[in-house]
mmCIF file of all heavy atoms in Angstrom:
data_model
loop_
_atom_site.group_PDB
_atom_site.id
_atom_site.type_symbol
_atom_site.label_atom_id
_atom_site.label_comp_id
_atom_site.label_asym_id
_atom_site.label_seq_id
_atom_site.Cartn_x
_atom_site.Cartn_y
_atom_site.Cartn_z
ATOM 1 N N GLU A 98 72.219 88.790 110.441
ATOM 2 C CA GLU A 98 71.875 89.612 109.288
ATOM 3 C C GLU A 98 70.866 88.875 108.353
ATOM 4 O O GLU A 98 70.148 89.547 107.570
ATOM 5 C CB GLU A 98 73.000 90.101 108.519
ATOM 6 C CG GLU A 98 74.065 90.950 109.369
ATOM 7 C CD GLU A 98 75.268 91.208 108.738
ATOM 8 O OE1 GLU A 98 75.542 90.666 107.513
ATOM 9 O OE2 GLU A 98 76.188 91.960 109.202
ATOM 10 N N GLY A 99 70.809 87.479 108.545
ATOM 11 C CA GLY A 99 69.932 86.767 107.748
ATOM 12 C C GLY A 99 68.791 86.237 108.553
ATOM 13 O O GLY A 99 67.982 87.116 109.089
ATOM 14 N N LYS A 100 68.793 84.976 108.839
ATOM 15 C CA LYS A 100 67.704 84.452 109.642
ATOM 16 C C LYS A 100 68.219 83.354 110.603
ATOM 17 O O LYS A 100 68.992 82.473 110.175
ATOM 18 C CB LYS A 100 66.567 83.814 108.784
ATOM 19 C CG LYS A 100 65.439 83.351 109.554
ATOM 20 C CD LYS A 100 64.363 82.630 108.604
ATOM 21 C CE LYS A 100 63.793 83.638 107.675
ATOM 22 N NZ LYS A 100 62.758 83.029 106.840
ATOM 23 N N LEU A 101 67.850 83.429 111.897
ATOM 24 C CA LEU A 101 68.135 82.384 112.907
ATOM 25 C C LEU A 101 66.792 81.814 113.310
ATOM 26 O O LEU A 101 66.022 82.575 113.857
ATOM 27 C CB LEU A 101 68.925 83.019 113.995
ATOM 28 C CG LEU A 101 69.140 82.065 115.273
ATOM 29 C CD1 LEU A 101 69.813 80.760 114.959
ATOM 30 C CD2 LEU A 101 69.859 82.818 116.447
ATOM 31 N N ILE A 102 66.767 80.490 113.207
ATOM 32 C CA ILE A 102 65.431 79.770 113.540
ATOM 33 C C ILE A 102 65.750 78.799 114.679
ATOM 34 O O ILE A 102 66.657 78.019 114.561
ATOM 35 C CB ILE A 102 64.813 79.010 112.383
ATOM 36 C CG1 ILE A 102 64.503 80.013 111.154
ATOM 37 C CG2 ILE A 102 63.619 78.219 112.764
ATOM 38 C CD1 ILE A 102 64.106 79.323 109.941
ATOM 39 N N ILE A 103 65.056 78.914 115.722
ATOM 40 C CA ILE A 103 65.267 78.079 117.017
ATOM 41 C C ILE A 103 63.970 77.182 117.126
ATOM 42 O O ILE A 103 62.856 77.769 117.123
ATOM 43 C CB ILE A 103 65.384 78.993 118.228
ATOM 44 C CG1 ILE A 103 66.642 79.901 118.105
ATOM 45 C CG2 ILE A 103 65.509 78.067 119.432
ATOM 46 C CD1 ILE A 103 67.918 79.269 118.058
ATOM 47 N N LYS A 104 64.180 75.839 117.272
ATOM 48 C CA LYS A 104 63.004 74.939 117.390
ATOM 49 C C LYS A 104 63.356 74.177 118.636
ATOM 50 O O LYS A 104 64.475 73.650 118.798
ATOM 51 C CB LYS A 104 62.979 74.059 116.198
ATOM 52 C CG LYS A 104 62.589 74.771 114.871
ATOM 53 C CD LYS A 104 62.569 73.833 113.766
ATOM 54 C CE LYS A 104 62.180 74.523 112.397
ATOM 55 N NZ LYS A 104 62.022 73.539 111.335
ATOM 56 N N GLY A 105 62.401 74.183 119.517
ATOM 57 C CA GLY A 105 62.500 73.404 120.831
ATOM 58 C C GLY A 105 63.551 74.159 121.796
ATOM 59 O O GLY A 105 63.614 75.318 121.695
ATOM 60 N N GLY A 106 64.132 73.396 122.556
ATOM 61 C CA GLY A 106 65.082 73.959 123.625
ATOM 62 C C GLY A 106 66.395 73.943 122.999
ATOM 63 O O GLY A 106 66.983 72.930 122.806
ATOM 64 N N VAL A 107 67.023 75.057 122.976
ATOM 65 C CA VAL A 107 68.366 75.243 122.396
ATOM 66 C C VAL A 107 69.267 75.875 123.403
ATOM 67 O O VAL A 107 68.925 76.915 123.991
ATOM 68 C CB VAL A 107 68.340 76.008 121.006
ATOM 69 C CG1 VAL A 107 69.890 76.272 120.508
ATOM 70 C CG2 VAL A 107 67.655 75.205 119.985
ATOM 71 N N HIS A 108 70.392 75.292 123.660
ATOM 72 C CA HIS A 108 71.430 75.928 124.590
ATOM 73 C C HIS A 108 72.678 76.349 123.873
ATOM 74 O O HIS A 108 73.250 75.569 123.090
ATOM 75 C CB HIS A 108 71.810 74.950 125.577
ATOM 76 C CG HIS A 108 70.700 74.491 126.544
ATOM 77 N ND1 HIS A 108 70.790 74.547 127.844
ATOM 78 C CD2 HIS A 108 69.520 74.016 126.204
ATOM 79 C CE1 HIS A 108 69.664 74.150 128.452
ATOM 80 N NE2 HIS A 108 68.807 73.772 127.472
ATOM 81 N N ILE A 109 73.031 77.617 123.964
ATOM 82 C CA ILE A 109 74.312 78.139 123.478
ATOM 83 C C ILE A 109 75.258 78.606 124.600
ATOM 84 O O ILE A 109 74.880 79.460 125.339
ATOM 85 C CB ILE A 109 74.053 79.344 122.456
ATOM 86 C CG1 ILE A 109 73.246 78.905 121.270
ATOM 87 C CG2 ILE A 109 75.304 79.988 122.044
ATOM 88 C CD1 ILE A 109 72.720 79.962 120.435
ATOM 89 N N GLY A 110 76.392 77.887 124.650
ATOM 90 C CA GLY A 110 77.220 78.142 125.814
ATOM 91 C C GLY A 110 78.088 79.408 125.667
ATOM 92 O O GLY A 110 78.099 80.051 124.623
ATOM 93 N N LYS A 111 78.661 79.782 126.732
ATOM 94 C CA LYS A 111 79.428 81.036 126.870
ATOM 95 C C LYS A 111 80.624 80.958 125.839
ATOM 96 O O LYS A 111 81.249 80.001 125.488
ATOM 97 C CB LYS A 111 80.030 81.156 128.192
ATOM 98 C CG LYS A 111 78.941 81.566 129.242
ATOM 99 C CD LYS A 111 79.526 81.836 130.599
ATOM 100 C CE LYS A 111 80.328 83.143 130.581
ATOM 101 N NZ LYS A 111 79.476 84.305 130.335
ATOM 102 N N GLY A 112 80.859 82.188 125.261
ATOM 103 C CA GLY A 112 81.916 82.378 124.392
ATOM 104 C C GLY A 112 81.729 82.012 122.830
ATOM 105 O O GLY A 112 82.689 82.123 122.093
ATOM 106 N N CYS A 113 80.508 81.593 122.599
ATOM 107 C CA CYS A 113 80.243 81.354 121.211
ATOM 108 C C CYS A 113 80.283 82.568 120.406
ATOM 109 O O CYS A 113 79.900 83.656 120.869
ATOM 110 C CB CYS A 113 78.939 80.514 121.085
ATOM 111 S SG CYS A 113 78.990 78.840 121.612
ATOM 112 N N ARG A 114 80.594 82.474 119.126
ATOM 113 C CA ARG A 114 80.545 83.617 118.184
ATOM 114 C C ARG A 114 79.729 83.109 116.993
ATOM 115 O O ARG A 114 80.180 82.142 116.255
ATOM 116 C CB ARG A 114 81.921 83.960 117.591
ATOM 117 C CG ARG A 114 82.866 84.454 118.754
ATOM 118 C CD ARG A 114 82.408 85.832 119.253
ATOM 119 N NE ARG A 114 83.433 86.299 120.229
ATOM 120 C CZ ARG A 114 83.419 86.151 121.625
ATOM 121 N NH1 ARG A 114 82.381 85.363 122.033
ATOM 122 N NH2 ARG A 114 84.258 86.710 122.329
#
Side-chain angles (χ1 to χ4, degrees):
E98 297 173 356
K100 183 184 294 184
L101 170 57
I102 300 174
I103 303 296
K104 298 181 179 180
V107 173
H108 296 235
I109 296 176
K111 291 183 69 62
C113 285
R114 301 289 188 267

